[in-house]
Amino acid sequence: MTANTKNSILIIGGGLIGLSIAYEFARNDFKVSILSKNRSESAGFVAAGMLATHAEGLENELLKFGQHSQSLIPEWIKNIEQDSGIECGLRKCGIVVPFTNMKDLRKFPTYKYGKYLNQKDLKNEINGINSIWKHGLVFEEDGQIDNRRRLMRALERACSLHGVQFQEGSEVKDLTIEKNKIIGAEVLNATGELKNIRCEKAILCSGAWSKKVLNKIPVFPVKGQMLSIQGPLNFLKRVLFGPDTYLVPRDDGLIIVGATVEKDSKFNQGNTPNGIKQLQKGIWSLLPEAMNWPQMEHWWGFRPCTPDFKPIIGKSDIENLFLATGHYRNGVLFSAITSDLIFKFIQDKTLSDSEISFLEKFSLKRFRI
């Protein structure tokens, strides 16, 4: 970035949230630079891409946040596709949540948004579903995006075409602060050089690694292991969201299977035998015949989690450093509203009552009350 920092935005973190925010600013004629140590490690590349506002059983402000974001996603994706020339695989395919008994179904936080399925209905919706499931809900408004193969690449291309400067392999060693304002970041780049990148404003969206950049942020990694299987084309038409495992069918028959929830793994990399066994057990519990389909790939990633499982969005303690992190299991779902909200907030745009409420509920200040 040049010495002229007017209207310059420094994005610290090049995952899905960072790319989404960078795209929003760049398409509005800001000079944007993305610092990223290794974008391929970001949760956006490893997530299943579900838009599961209701199937996830979100509650209170998270439910409203998800519903708001889901309403923005079609137009958001349309713009990304037009700018990048890459189709993102957005599908409102619906998500089925199965239950073994009516008591659990009625206790499900968002059951009123779903359509009830008896066991016969379940079998019609999900060919070959395990007979242990007696009831179900289908959330027809929920769906998916092919984040790993399409959305992330589309955002990268759209950002690049809008002039975003990517600095991959760049590790932020320290933030340069003067009079409680960030004026830049000290960065170790891919060739081992230590450089100072200057900026007018910065947005920290480093996901599970955010605390390494700013220690005051209570974000920690929750590891998730995943795999994919190749099923027959159109065998599974809806996402199947079980209590411990989900199956997300892409339009070419590939099925994403996830995910373990490992809260004490820290940043331990790699798949483990126990993790793969857990996923295979989950496949059998949902769709037994899928155990015979070929496994195509195994991978893992780190979700950015906060103590209350809610994102941190808005101001930091530093005047011109803003936060967009801690999205935990719903980074794909929340990406559209997060980028929109951060852009409006930083630009002092008029916010609706619900948007003001989101910023209050997801403020860093809630951890200090």
Side-chain angles (χ1 to χ4, degrees):
M1 190 175 289
T2 64
N4 180 12
T5 61
K6 187 177 181 181
N7 287 334
S8 66
I9 300 291
L10 182 65
I11 307 289
I12 304 173
L16 178 56
I17 298 299
L19 288 170
S20 301
I21 294 171
Y23 173 66
E24 192 64 32
F25 277 93
R27 68 195 289 259
N28 284 281
D29 300 323
F30 280 76
K31 294 179 63 176
V32 181
S33 184
I34 294 178
L35 301 178
S36 181
K37 185 177 180 181
N38 186 355
R39 280 204 313 284
S40 65
E41 291 184 342
S42 73
F45 269 119
V46 300
M50 286 184 293
L51 305 176
T53 300
H54 308 98
E56 184 87 22
L58 299 181
E59 299 182 79
N60 304 318
E61 62 265 23
L62 281 179
L63 174 60
K64 294 176 183 177
F65 199 60
Q67 289 172 330
H68 192 152
S69 194
Q70 211 155 320
S71 72
L72 297 176
I73 283 173
E75 184 67 21
W76 182 65
I77 290 294
K78 179 182 176 182
N79 290 334
I80 294 168
E81 290 178 337
Q82 287 178 342
D83 286 356
S84 68
I86 298 174
E87 197 269 328
C88 294
L90 174 64
R91 295 168 58 202
K92 193 167 74 171
C93 59
I95 300 181
V96 171
V97 181
F99 299 87
T100 58
N101 59 75
M102 282 298 294
K103 181 181 177 181
D104 288 345
L105 184 147
R106 291 195 181 101
K107 286 167 53 180
F108 197 68
T110 51
Y111 80 93
K112 69 178 182 180
Y113 294 97
K115 176 185 175 184
Y116 172 71
L117 304 173
N118 60 31
Q119 192 170 38
K120 182 180 177 181
D121 297 329
L122 263 181
K123 290 179 178 179
N124 288 334
E125 288 284 359
I126 307 293
N127 185 26
I129 192 170
N130 196 316
S131 60
I132 64 174
W133 306 107
K134 309 299 184 184
H135 311 274
L137 293 168
V138 57
F139 297 98
E140 295 180 337
E141 295 301 309
D142 288 0
Q144 61 166 294
I145 299 175
D146 193 342
N147 57 296
R148 195 161 186 244
R149 298 183 297 178
R150 301 183 185 180
L151 176 60
M152 292 292 284
R153 299 306 183 194
L155 275 168
E156 288 174 343
R157 180 168 173 78
C159 283
S160 180
L161 292 173
H162 279 293
V164 173
Q165 298 177 23
F166 287 89
Q167 300 194 40
E168 182 70 0
S170 297
E171 182 180 1
V172 176
K173 306 301 289 186
D174 199 9
L175 301 178
T176 307
I177 311 294
E178 289 185 3
K179 298 180 180 179
N180 202 40
K181 291 186 70 174
I182 183 171
I183 61 171
E186 190 177 56
V187 175
L188 184 66
N189 68 18
T191 60
E193 298 174 280
L194 199 61
K195 293 191 173 183
N196 195 278
I197 309 296
R198 300 184 67 82
C199 64
E200 183 188 33
K201 295 181 177 72
I203 305 166
L204 176 58
C205 35
S206 297
W209 294 266
S210 295
K211 189 174 178 65
K212 293 187 175 184
V213 179
L214 192 64
N215 190 53
K216 297 178 181 179
I217 301 178
V219 172
F220 58 92
V222 175
K223 185 178 179 179
Q225 299 184 53
M226 304 179 71
L227 60 83
S228 63
I229 54 179
Q230 184 62 53
L233 193 64
N234 295 322
F235 184 93
L236 192 60
K237 296 181 179 179
R238 296 194 190 272
V239 174
L240 180 55
F241 197 122
D244 299 307
T245 307
Y246 49 74
L247 308 179
V248 184
R250 302 300 195 214
D251 54 14
D252 58 0
L254 190 73
I255 296 174
I256 309 301
V257 182
T260 64
V261 179
E262 303 169 42
K263 296 181 180 179
D264 299 319
S265 68
K266 299 183 180 179
F267 285 104
N268 294 326
Q269 298 191 7
N271 290 106
T272 64
N274 285 339
I276 299 302
K277 286 178 183 177
Q278 181 180 326
L279 294 173
Q280 291 176 337
K281 183 179 178 181
I283 295 171
W284 183 89
S285 74
L286 293 173
L287 200 66
E289 69 180 279
M291 291 292 291
N292 299 318
W293 299 343
Q295 292 187 20
M296 307 306 294
E297 190 179 2
H298 299 167
W299 67 94
W300 74 93
F302 301 101
R303 308 173 185 90
C305 191
T306 64
D308 60 6
F309 306 103
K310 299 171 186 175
I312 301 171
I313 302 172
K315 292 181 178 180
S316 73
D317 293 334
I318 301 166
E319 185 177 327
N320 56 339
L321 175 65
F322 303 88
L323 308 173
T325 187
H327 291 72
Y328 190 38
R329 294 167 60 100
N330 289 292
V332 177
L333 172 63
F334 293 159
S335 53
I337 189 172
T338 298
S339 56
D340 182 63
L341 193 56
I342 281 286
F343 178 76
K344 289 177 179 176
F345 180 60
I346 291 177
Q347 289 301 103
D348 291 323
K349 301 286 187 182
T350 301
L351 300 174
S352 66
D353 290 343
S354 61
E355 289 170 329
I356 292 171
S357 177
F358 292 145
L359 287 170
E360 292 173 348
K361 296 287 187 181
F362 302 143
S363 169
L364 180 64
K365 291 180 180 179
R366 70 184 188 269
F367 297 109
R368 296 168 191 162
I369 295 174

